[in-house]
Amino acid sequence: SQKIEQNSEALNIQEGKTATLTCNYTNYSPAYLQWYRQDPGRGPVFLLLIRENEKEKRKERLKVTFDTTLKQSLFHITASQPADSATYLCALDMAGGSTLGRLYFGRGTQLTVWP
Amino acid sequence: DTGVSQNPRHKITKRGQNVTFRCDPISEHNRLYWYRQTLGQGPEFLTYFQNEAQLEKSRLLSDRFSAERPKGSFSTLEIQRTEQGDSAMYLCASNEAGAQETQYFGPGTRLLVL
């Protein structure tokens, strides 16, 4: 079965620094990988999607890379702010991009940005 | 608010009771998903619908769980004879088949079984 590992349960960084979160997966090769943000007591909110044929994608202060050889995605938040403090979830599809649509999530990394 | 809504937001019940949760997806979305999330874990897939058809169920979905989407709009998730291990956040998500891979999540229903 698919196994998704996110590098650590918690990451603490100082405001203004770059946060780097890691997502590793085994077995299947997903057609795409997504990152979500989740605040306490709330549902996940979509941030970025990267496809297997893309190496990097950016959105404002966010950057995602996808290395299908290493089976790894890196998620970067540059110029981090206390408001970026949340849990970040990595998610991927299981079915090679078919229309099934179900997602498998990692357990998340809790990011805390301190002033 | 045109996002995904879930009711109730919180539910406390005694072991052995039945509970039912409701999810209203974004109106134009034909796919609806249910996930369960326990503390410190990511969401785990339970089941999903395309329109009114339930297309897949996880092995996590025991016989005590049943989900419906009778008119292809809102969905209900019922848990019969609740157990303490059912305590979790139940999340609903929706999207449009063939057009979106991203899923739009509701706020969740937090269930506590005493």
Side-chain angles (χ1 to χ4, degrees):
Chain A
S1 63
Q2 186 65 271
K3 185 175 180 182
I4 305 166
E5 292 183 344
Q6 296 193 237
N7 57 324
S8 61
E9 291 186 8
L11 180 64
N12 300 309
I13 65 168
Q14 188 177 21
E15 183 176 10
K17 302 293 186 183
T18 296
T20 298
L21 286 65
T22 304
C23 176
N24 295 292
Y25 59 92
T26 59
N27 298 341
Y28 297 94
S29 296
Y32 54 83
L33 188 147
Q34 304 183 39
W35 285 88
Y36 287 78
R37 168 181 173 144
Q38 187 172 27
D39 292 287
R42 310 291 294 272
V45 175
F46 170 75
L47 296 175
L48 280 170
L49 178 151
I50 188 165
R51 301 184 187 282
E52 60 179 341
N53 61 348
E54 297 175 316
K55 295 293 185 185
E56 180 180 301
K57 184 164 279 189
R58 294 175 183 260
K59 178 183 176 182
E60 298 174 349
R61 294 184 296 110
L62 309 180
K63 184 178 84 171
V64 175
T65 63
F66 195 11
D67 188 325
T68 55
T69 301
L70 293 178
K71 294 185 183 295
Q72 181 181 79
S73 174
L74 299 179
F75 178 79
H76 306 271
I77 306 175
T78 59
S80 59
Q81 305 167 359
D84 295 327
S85 299
T87 296
Y88 291 86
L89 299 161
C90 165
L92 49 84
D93 77 304
M94 259 291 281
S98 80
T99 57
L100 289 181
R102 59 183 297 185
L103 291 176
Y104 285 79
F105 285 85
R107 64 187 302 173
T109 297
Q110 185 174 343
L111 173 67
T112 301
V113 181
W114 45 279
Chain B
D1 189 342
T2 57
V4 177
S5 63
Q6 292 187 245
N7 288 289
R9 293 292 310 278
H10 300 89
K11 179 70 177 179
I12 300 174
T13 191
K14 293 182 180 179
R15 189 175 52 186
Q17 298 294 305
N18 299 343
V19 295
T20 300
F21 310 141
R22 175 176 170 131
C23 171
D24 288 87
I26 294 172
S27 58
E28 61 268 28
H29 287 176
N30 55 3
R31 279 212 177 148
L32 186 149
Y33 307 80
W34 285 100
Y35 292 84
R36 181 174 69 187
Q37 186 176 25
T38 53
L39 200 61
Q41 302 296 318
E44 295 176 291
F45 171 80
L46 293 178
T47 187
Y48 89 98
F49 294 84
Q50 181 155 319
N51 300 314
E52 65 276 8
Q54 188 172 19
L55 297 186
E56 190 176 1
K57 293 194 294 186
S58 164
R59 286 171 291 179
L60 292 174
L61 215 63
S62 75
D63 292 343
R64 296 185 297 105
F65 287 71
S66 62
E68 294 183 343
R69 194 182 184 197
K71 297 182 180 179
S73 56
F74 73 92
S75 175
T76 58
L77 178 68
E78 181 182 16
I79 308 174
Q80 297 181 327
R81 305 181 303 282
T82 53
E83 301 173 356
Q84 288 184 323
D86 297 331
S87 297
M89 173 80 89
Y90 289 84
L91 293 162
C92 174
S94 69
N95 66 5
E96 187 176 346
Q100 301 168 319
E101 296 96 349
T102 64
Q103 296 184 11
Y104 297 84
F105 283 82
T109 294
R110 182 167 294 283
L111 172 66
L112 177 61
V113 182
L114 301 176

